[in-house]
Amino acid sequence: MSREAVLVRTLVELADTLVEDFDVVELLTLLTDRCVEVLDVTAAGLMLASPGGDLRVMASSSEAMRLVELFEIQADEGPCLDCFRTGKPVVNRTLGSTNLNWPHFAPQALEAGFLSVHALPMRLRGLTIGALNLFRATEGILDEADVDAAQAFADVATIAILQHRASLETQLLNTQLTQALNSRVVIEQAKGVVGEQAGLSMEEAFTRLRNHARNHNLRLVDVARGIVDGSLAPPSLDPLRTLEPTRPPLPAS
Amino acid sequence: MPPERRLRILQELLASGHGDRATARLCEVCAAVAGVSGAGIMLMSGDAPWGSVCNTNAVSALIEELQYTLGEGPCVDAYHHDRPVLEPDLADPITPRWLAFTPPAVKAGARAVFGFPLRIGALRLGALNLYCDQPGPLSDGQHADALVLAEVAAQTVLMMQANAPSGRLATELETGGDFKYVVHQASGMVAAQLDVGVGEAFARLRGFAFATDRSLEQVADEVVGRRLRFDDLSTGDPDPVL
């Protein structure tokens, strides 16, 4: 298979994983593996910014300790951090050269056997979320076609991550909506049970549920759920206090 | 999905602003963009619909009410089967379905009804209901619009909820929607009367509403108003206590 064909196949493979419920780490690991297979590089890793802004390694083509440490150190300095801060590619930095501003990273990378490093931004519409890091242990430069291909991989990974984040947000909102509606339904049901058993109006039943929750430092919805599932018998609720103002925060019907 | 379609719908919605009428406006935009006689949005979960986010007119309201009471109809099917459900000729369908839902819906003036699941990715929230006062299928353009509208509606509902305090329903949904809380109160009362679970009590209420040709909400009102009890089963039916 030609190199172009492998590249296309890889991009299609990555796009195929962008279905519902894909696993981000799995996708990113696939991507770093493909970088090593397809591009002229020895090792690859993906670093993503945490909500606090720190770069953290999300996937790596190898779990070798020497490589893992090279990612960790880049929370403070290195090609990924430079790339993430500027949003611009950092390519073909020769580790032996003296003009690198990475006093900790450069010697350690050299010691691990690498000769050059590269970092490509994970960027969409002005937002940089991390960087794709490539290491070479061979002499010579990473050619332009490889740089372009690496950037294409980084772009796919960026889209995957942003899509995943949007989907998580949606799920969270949906859970909140479901919980809010479920809570409300169970409180109304409990009002019915208490109202029927104690001969109270819905408003009085609500007040009794609410007072019981307050007096026992329980959540109203938990008291209501206990009434509805039978684990809490209505007679064991605290009695109504007649002087209590009975204007509930929720409408009575 | 064509981006210009989505853009047009979002522009319509944005032009309407926020506030108390946000949910009503959502349904009006759905009806206007899809070019139909009326629209409604129902939220659902499992077997029991939660209620209505909005509807544009009395016919849309009745279409939702019937589905809530009977547990059948285009929205219920769209939600459960997770696909659009289209009935272009409700009065004379090729395959009759919804035996209880259809006669009153036709009588009210719905001649074609369509249900589109409200979903975002794998999440399902309910269904968008569209109806026409004349029989006939949706055009390809209307169908494509309805798919986008259902997705936009789902996102809009979630966005409304985004700013609500934890465990509480968003104010827009609370004031604009109709979640039929009285039905849940009645379920609790009937559960206590019969010493059964609230799920079974809900089913009994629904069965009684169907048998007596009343809406679930009307029956619930009578239970909560203590004009109807379910615990005298000597006649096989609950006796009205008047």
Side-chain angles (χ1 to χ4, degrees):
Chain A
M1 212 185 293
S2 73
R3 210 186 71 126
E4 278 63 34
V6 175
L7 268 178
V8 168
R9 193 202 62 188
T10 303
L11 289 174
V12 168
E13 187 182 18
L14 289 170
D16 272 352
T17 60
L18 293 180
V19 291
E20 286 161 16
D21 299 332
F22 66 92
D23 184 308
V24 171
V25 173
E26 204 171 292
L27 174 78
L28 299 184
T29 305
L30 173 79
L31 189 131
T32 54
D33 288 347
R34 290 291 178 275
C35 282
V36 173
E37 283 170 37
V38 177
L39 310 175
D40 186 17
V41 300
T42 315
L46 262 167
M47 298 199 73
L48 280 187
S50 71
D54 304 331
L55 281 182
R56 298 197 185 145
V57 62
M58 286 296 290
S60 158
S61 61
S62 155
E63 295 300 318
M65 207 54 201
R66 61 190 178 106
L67 190 61
V68 173
E69 283 168 357
L70 282 179
F71 291 124
E72 282 169 1
I73 211 173
Q74 291 188 76
D76 299 318
E77 64 164 60
C80 277
L81 190 60
D82 290 0
C83 174
F84 172 67
R85 282 190 176 152
T86 61
K88 296 199 168 69
V90 173
V91 292
N92 284 314
R93 295 299 155 88
T94 309
L95 287 163
S97 81
T98 49
N99 59 351
L100 296 177
N101 201 15
W102 305 322
H104 300 286
F105 172 81
Q108 202 164 329
L110 262 179
E111 198 178 313
F114 297 117
L115 296 177
S116 66
V117 291
H118 323 263
L120 296 157
M122 298 178 64
R123 199 157 191 267
L124 189 72
R125 288 191 285 274
L127 175 70
T128 307
I129 62 170
L132 170 63
N133 202 184
L134 304 172
F135 292 86
R136 274 166 61 90
T138 44
E139 299 279 348
I141 61 161
L142 190 64
D143 69 36
E144 212 169 305
D146 270 0
V147 174
D148 288 347
Q151 186 63 61
F153 287 170
D155 291 346
V156 172
T158 307
I159 290 166
I161 288 159
L162 293 179
Q163 186 178 326
H164 182 68
R165 285 183 183 167
S167 147
L168 284 183
E169 208 166 286
T170 304
Q171 281 176 29
L172 180 69
L173 286 176
N174 187 52
T175 307
Q176 286 170 353
L177 175 66
T178 306
Q179 282 172 351
L181 280 164
N182 277 338
S183 303
R184 187 62 197 268
V185 165
V186 80
I187 290 166
E188 299 303 328
Q189 289 168 339
K191 280 159 68 175
V193 173
V194 171
E196 174 65 24
Q197 293 205 349
L200 301 172
S201 73
M202 290 302 111
E203 193 167 325
E204 289 165 335
F206 178 79
T207 306
R208 198 155 163 199
L209 287 164
R210 192 195 51 190
N211 287 353
H212 186 85
R214 283 186 182 165
N215 293 348
H216 298 267
N217 203 19
L218 296 166
R219 294 193 316 156
L220 176 60
V221 66
D222 292 333
V223 173
R225 201 164 280 133
I227 293 287
V228 169
D229 71 22
S231 60
L232 182 63
S236 60
L237 288 179
D238 291 355
L240 271 182
R241 274 172 289 163
T242 45
L243 292 177
E244 180 79 16
T246 55
R247 193 169 184 282
L250 297 172
S253 62
Chain B
M1 219 169 266
E4 64 273 20
R5 233 180 249 290
R6 186 185 305 265
L7 189 66
R8 184 159 54 88
I9 291 164
L10 290 173
Q11 278 169 342
E12 287 260 359
L13 268 179
L14 285 174
S16 63
H18 301 285
D20 285 354
R21 292 200 71 254
T23 53
R25 185 70 190 142
L26 179 60
C27 276
E28 285 160 14
V29 168
C30 287
V33 170
V36 295
S37 308
I41 292 171
M42 290 180 83
L43 295 188
M44 286 182 242
S45 162
D47 286 336
W50 264 318
S52 171
V53 171
C54 55
N55 46 65
T56 51
N57 59 30
V59 181
S60 290
L62 182 77
I63 288 171
E64 293 193 337
E65 170 89 65
L66 286 170
Q67 296 187 77
Y68 190 79
T69 298
L70 303 167
E72 67 171 32
C75 287
V76 174
D77 284 1
Y79 174 78
H80 283 297
H81 301 152
D82 197 18
R83 60 172 170 76
V85 171
L86 315 170
E87 182 46 78
D89 193 349
L90 191 61
D92 188 16
I94 293 170
T95 311
R97 47 185 163 177
W98 315 320
L99 297 179
F101 166 85
T102 301
V106 170
K107 192 170 166 226
R111 300 302 305 276
V113 291
F114 311 95
F116 290 84
L118 233 54
R119 66 177 168 206
I120 309 173
L123 300 175
R124 285 184 295 157
L125 281 76
L128 167 69
N129 172 250
L130 304 175
Y131 90 91
C132 294
D133 57 13
Q134 297 297 321
L138 292 177
S139 70
D140 289 350
Q142 283 177 306
H143 191 99
D145 277 339
L147 289 172
V148 180
L149 285 166
E151 193 195 313
V152 169
Q155 282 170 342
T156 307
V157 168
L158 286 190
M159 287 306 148
M160 284 175 177
Q161 183 63 25
N163 299 321
S166 172
R168 296 287 292 271
L169 201 58
T171 314
E172 293 107 306
L173 291 170
E174 186 76 74
T175 57
D178 177 5
F179 293 97
K180 307 200 185 298
Y181 296 127
V182 70
V183 172
H184 303 297
Q185 294 168 1
S187 295
M189 289 182 68
V190 170
Q193 288 167 11
L194 301 179
D195 196 19
V196 296
V198 286
E200 187 179 337
F202 180 79
R204 299 271 190 118
L205 283 165
R206 190 177 244 177
F208 183 76
F210 176 68
T212 57
D213 203 19
R214 277 182 281 183
S215 77
L216 194 49
E217 200 168 10
Q218 284 170 331
V219 172
D221 272 335
E222 292 191 29
V223 171
V224 172
R226 292 185 157 89
R227 298 185 298 277
L228 175 65
R229 298 186 63 84
F230 275 61
D231 50 0
D232 182 359
L233 293 174
S234 55
T235 59
D237 272 325
D239 284 342
V241 181
L242 294 171

